Amino acid sequence: MNQRFNIKILFFTILFFSVNTFSQNINLERMDNEEIEKIIDSLYYSNPDEGIKIVKFYIKKSKKENSNESLYIAYRYASKFYPVPINFKYTDSALIASKRTENKTLITDAYLNKGVILMDESLYQKALDNILIANKYSLELNDNYIINKTTYFIAQNKIYLGLHEDANKELVNCYNYFKVNLNKKVLNEDYKTYYIFSLMSLIDSNTRIGKHQENISLLEEAYDFIYKNNFEHLKPYFISSEGTEAFYNANYNLAIKKLSEAIRLYNDQWPHLNDIFYIGLSNWKLGKRDVAVKYFEEIDKEYDKSKKLNPEFRPAYELLIKYNDSIGNRDKQLKYINTLMSLDKNYEKNYKYLFSKINKEYDTHKLINEKNKIESSLKNQRTIISSILLITILASLFYWNRYNSLQKKYKEKFEEIISQKNILEKIETLAEVESKQEDDLNPKTLNITDKIKITAPKNSSELEFYNKIPGLNPILVQNILQQLEKFEEELRFTDNQMSLRLLSEEFNTNIPYLSKIINVYKGKNFNYYINDLRIDYIIELLKNDATYLNYDIKNLASLAGFTNAVNFSDNFQRKFEIKPSYFIKMMKENIKTHS
């Protein structure tokens, strides 16, 4: 697409799609600034003369209110509505007003606005100066929206210079940014418009550098967006892109068909030289030189009127010179030679300035920024590595200290376990010790059931010992404790099916009574009681028979009456605060030391 008209249609799209209706019967005096701006937006394409009247009112209103911010916006509108060269005056006025606000965002936008207006009039040198200033401000603001807007217009300058590879990279970034933020709604930020124009320019750029395959999906994406977002006025531009794509794929008949269709569908006042140029080239490639020349002459007519021409269309003059030489028309041949020389002189002047400016103030600056980012990243990376190293050292010291503390603790626990009295030996109860101090040699026997004979307590001390649970007969308590003692001696706790219910049935009592007696006299609940017996049993086996030290944890668990190794290990560690595997290891080392 012709770059100049790309920018014109961009302006139109931004303004036209803000509001679509306008009523003549309006009272501007009663409207706030936002309402006035919406009215102005709606008039850009439908009624520009009326739009200028309202812009004048907005300028007057802003001055009266002494609002530099609204005055800047009003001047910016004037720069878009008024023709050349009046619009240049308003770009300067907008810039002055923005500086008075001391708002860097508005100042950045003012420079960008001026650059785009100048670029639209092919004043590329001054345009680039302002766009680069806007880009510099946007980087300072770290405003990604403005950064990508300025990048888009810098890419257009690179396209003008024929730097399609460089422009393509910039456009990919713009396209991706605006696409990601497509549904973002922020006042005065138009992501959709810049997305579709970045996409349009990216497709044209891909065509120039041979990325034809990528354009298939991008064109589908463009048409889908146009359909869903009411951007039908842009459809001819993408049909034009298809035509240019067909030309670069040497499908000249399809190129002519698509480009001609685009020309029929355009609904604006612009000449669309891009389509005319590539229709002419396609006919030339097909050998239809007489037809091709008619299209090239249309380009020359436009140049005669505007004295502006994109360097992309330079080959049209080369072919006009060649054609008129072949038919002997020296007058036209000389005319086109003079025009081409004038164009080349202008291109050379612009090229030298723009290329050096972009290279010096944008690309080099961009490289420096990238360099600084990399250096900063490396510095941060070194800081992170140093921090990680320090944390690792501190963590290592912590865990080493913790390991040593645990080793010391485990060793102490091991010594405690080793020094414990053999729990399998019968231990006299407190009641038995106290009973020896009495001389009562005639115990009294009571029959509670046919199965169990209960011996009554011998004296008051023994009675008091068995009377710790209110509501329970001390004789019953004594009997249960005696049965528990026998239960322990017979190692019946190693039965992995043993439960509180089964034991209460065997003792001919109920579950609550047995549970209370175990809690009070054993100092723990039934589960802890039976599991502790099992753990103590294994400890004695390991202490007294080295054979068991070679058993694995699973076998030891089964031997003790546990249903699995995990339950055994958990209970072992709960009771002794040491893992069974570590205890076994210490036992083996202890045997080696003393052997």
Side-chain angles (χ1 to χ4, degrees):
M1 177 187 297
N2 187 332
Q3 180 190 32
R4 182 182 171 202
F5 298 115
N6 188 325
I7 296 167
K8 281 184 177 291
I9 195 69
L10 172 60
F11 274 147
F12 156 64
T13 301
I14 292 171
L15 291 170
F16 181 71
F17 277 88
S18 299
V19 176
N20 292 315
T21 59
F22 171 67
S23 171
Q24 295 290 342
N25 300 317
I26 57 173
N27 189 337
L28 295 174
E29 296 288 351
R30 294 182 179 180
M31 290 186 175
D32 61 25
N33 291 346
E34 187 175 343
E35 290 173 320
I36 292 171
E37 288 167 20
K38 287 181 178 179
I39 296 296
I40 296 171
D41 287 341
S42 70
L43 296 171
Y44 180 76
Y45 186 70
S46 62
N47 194 345
D49 291 336
E50 188 66 30
I52 288 175
K53 292 179 184 178
I54 299 177
V55 168
K56 285 180 179 178
F57 170 82
Y58 195 17
I59 292 171
K60 185 178 178 181
K61 178 178 183 289
S62 300
K63 286 180 178 179
K64 184 178 179 181
E65 294 173 352
N66 198 27
S67 171
N68 285 313
E69 184 172 332
S70 60
L71 185 60
Y72 156 70
I73 295 170
Y75 281 143
R76 188 184 63 183
Y77 275 123
S79 71
K80 291 176 170 61
F81 273 84
Y82 278 93
V84 177
I86 300 172
N87 63 339
F88 294 157
K89 181 187 75 172
Y90 283 114
T91 60
D92 292 332
S93 298
L95 183 57
I96 292 167
S98 72
K99 288 181 178 179
R100 285 176 184 160
T101 67
E102 297 183 355
N103 184 324
K104 281 193 175 182
T105 300
L106 295 184
I107 296 170
T108 305
D109 192 60
Y111 274 113
L112 181 59
N113 177 66
K114 184 174 180 179
V116 174
I117 295 287
L118 291 167
M119 190 174 173
D120 186 43
E121 297 303 323
S122 301
L123 298 171
Y124 290 100
Q125 294 184 15
K126 291 181 179 179
L128 184 60
D129 289 343
N130 285 276
I131 291 169
L132 288 174
I133 293 171
N135 182 257
K136 183 181 177 182
Y137 271 108
S138 67
L139 291 171
E140 290 175 4
L141 288 168
N142 197 27
D143 186 325
N144 287 323
Y145 176 76
I146 301 176
I147 288 171
N148 280 279
K149 275 178 65 176
T150 58
T151 301
Y152 170 82
F153 288 109
I154 288 169
Q156 303 311 307
N157 273 274
K158 290 189 173 186
I159 290 170
Y160 175 84
L161 292 171
L163 304 173
H164 294 292
E165 290 279 358
D166 287 352
N168 189 264
K169 292 174 185 176
E170 307 286 6
L171 290 167
V172 167
N173 291 333
C174 294
Y175 158 73
N176 286 330
Y177 171 77
F178 290 118
K179 183 178 181 180
V180 168
N181 295 282
L182 198 55
N183 296 316
K184 194 173 182 180
K185 294 182 179 179
V186 180
L187 187 64
N188 296 322
E189 293 186 3
D190 191 347
Y191 290 92
K192 285 187 176 181
T193 296
Y194 278 97
Y195 156 73
I196 195 65
F197 276 90
S198 295
L199 178 56
M200 186 189 299
S201 198
L202 177 61
I203 290 170
D204 287 341
S205 175
N206 281 342
T207 298
R208 301 305 191 277
I209 62 176
K211 292 185 177 180
H212 305 296
Q213 198 63 33
E214 288 185 18
N215 278 348
I216 295 173
S217 60
L218 291 177
L219 282 163
E220 289 177 359
E221 182 181 327
Y223 287 126
D224 183 62
F225 177 85
I226 287 169
Y227 175 75
K228 291 178 179 177
N229 292 274
N230 194 27
F231 273 64
E232 285 295 324
H233 68 291
L234 293 182
K235 187 175 180 180
Y237 291 88
F238 287 96
I239 294 173
S240 172
S241 294
E242 286 188 90
T244 309
E245 178 79 3
F247 173 82
Y248 278 88
N249 280 309
N251 192 342
Y252 304 119
N253 286 315
L254 179 61
I256 293 169
K257 179 183 176 183
K258 288 289 182 181
L259 293 165
S260 299
E261 181 185 357
I263 290 173
R264 286 195 304 273
L265 293 174
Y266 288 128
N267 186 25
D268 53 49
Q269 73 277 23
W270 301 315
H272 300 287
L273 296 184
N274 182 79
D275 305 84
I276 293 169
F277 174 66
Y278 280 103
I279 290 174
L281 281 183
S282 296
N283 278 291
W284 187 276
K285 292 286 186 179
L286 291 170
K288 301 176 182 179
R289 295 191 172 189
D290 292 343
V291 177
V293 165
K294 297 297 180 184
Y295 286 95
F296 297 149
E297 286 173 347
E298 288 298 315
I299 293 173
D300 182 58
K301 287 177 185 177
E302 182 62 28
Y303 173 72
D304 285 340
K305 285 193 294 183
S306 65
K307 297 302 177 184
K308 302 169 190 173
L309 197 68
N310 193 298
E312 182 181 7
F313 305 141
R314 186 183 184 280
Y317 283 93
E318 293 177 341
L319 296 176
L320 282 170
I321 292 167
K322 185 175 182 179
Y323 175 79
N324 282 285
D325 178 48
S326 68
I327 63 172
N329 191 334
R330 303 305 170 199
D331 291 337
K332 280 194 173 183
Q333 184 183 4
L334 182 60
K335 174 186 181 299
Y336 295 135
I337 288 172
N338 288 332
T339 302
L340 185 57
M341 288 176 67
S342 177
L343 285 171
D344 282 347
K345 186 177 180 181
N346 188 43
Y347 293 155
E348 184 180 1
K349 180 183 175 183
N350 276 332
Y351 187 91
K352 285 180 180 178
Y353 183 85
L354 297 177
F355 184 83
S356 62
K357 193 80 173 177
I358 286 177
N359 184 57
K360 183 179 178 181
E361 295 190 21
Y362 179 73
D363 290 336
T364 302
H365 182 68
K366 190 177 177 183
L367 286 173
I368 291 169
N369 281 340
E370 289 296 321
K371 175 178 175 288
N372 291 337
K373 283 181 183 178
I374 292 169
E375 288 176 347
S376 177
S377 175
L378 289 173
K379 185 179 178 181
N380 291 337
Q381 196 175 37
R382 285 193 291 269
T383 303
I384 291 168
I385 291 171
S386 299
S387 300
I388 292 171
L389 186 60
L390 179 61
I391 291 168
T392 303
I393 292 169
L394 292 174
S396 299
L397 290 172
F398 170 77
Y399 285 112
W400 176 253
N401 184 57
R402 187 168 180 269
Y403 173 78
N404 287 334
S405 298
L406 284 173
Q407 294 300 307
K408 184 179 178 182
K409 179 183 175 183
Y410 287 164
K411 190 172 182 181
E412 289 172 356
K413 291 293 179 183
F414 175 77
E415 296 295 340
E416 285 179 18
I417 297 169
I418 291 297
S419 63
Q420 281 182 358
K421 185 178 178 180
N422 191 331
I423 53 92
L424 295 181
E425 295 176 1
K426 181 174 174 59
I427 303 174
E428 292 181 319
T429 65
L430 175 62
E432 289 172 328
V433 172
E434 291 174 346
S435 68
K436 288 181 181 179
Q437 298 173 358
E438 304 293 337
D439 295 327
D440 190 352
L441 301 175
N442 300 309
K444 182 180 179 181
T445 301
L446 298 175
N447 290 324
I448 294 180
T449 69
D450 293 333
K451 293 183 179 180
I452 303 175
K453 286 186 177 182
I454 302 177
T455 303
K458 299 175 182 178
N459 50 53
S460 59
S461 296
E462 193 172 274
L463 180 63
E464 185 180 350
F465 176 78
Y466 292 118
N467 198 27
K468 292 181 180 180
I469 304 174
L472 282 187
N473 191 316
I475 298 173
L476 174 63
V477 173
Q478 180 189 25
N479 180 263
I480 295 296
L481 289 174
Q482 288 171 352
Q483 291 189 77
L484 284 174
E485 186 175 350
K486 187 176 181 183
F487 169 78
E488 294 172 14
E489 288 174 357
E490 293 176 354
L491 307 180
R492 295 191 49 230
F493 51 78
T494 58
D495 179 0
N496 62 18
Q497 298 299 315
M498 184 54 63
S499 66
L500 183 61
R501 182 184 60 79
L502 287 175
L503 199 59
S504 66
E505 289 175 359
E506 287 188 20
F507 288 1
N508 200 29
T509 186
N510 59 44
I511 291 174
Y513 284 2
L514 179 58
S515 178
K516 285 182 181 180
I517 291 168
I518 291 173
N519 272 288
V520 171
Y521 288 92
K522 300 298 181 179
K524 59 192 80 173
N525 63 35
F526 176 77
N527 284 334
Y528 277 11
Y529 164 67
I530 198 165
N531 286 334
D532 283 355
L533 287 173
R534 290 166 174 170
I535 295 298
D536 288 337
Y537 171 63
I538 291 299
I539 286 289
E540 294 307 321
L541 291 180
L542 294 171
K543 284 164 62 176
N544 297 309
D545 190 342
T547 305
Y548 292 104
L549 295 174
N550 296 317
Y551 279 37
D552 60 26
I553 300 299
K554 186 177 179 181
N555 289 335
L556 290 174
S558 177
L559 195 63
F562 288 99
T563 54
N564 58 70
V566 174
N567 197 9
F568 168 68
S569 295
D570 288 346
N571 277 281
F572 195 102
Q573 196 159 3
R574 171 188 58 78
K575 182 172 174 60
F576 295 117
E577 298 180 32
I578 184 173
K579 293 181 180 179
S581 56
Y582 188 82
F583 177 79
I584 292 170
K585 178 184 174 185
M586 292 289 287
M587 280 294 299
K588 289 179 178 179
E589 290 177 0
N590 193 48
I591 291 170
K592 285 182 182 179
T593 304
H594 294 89
S595 61

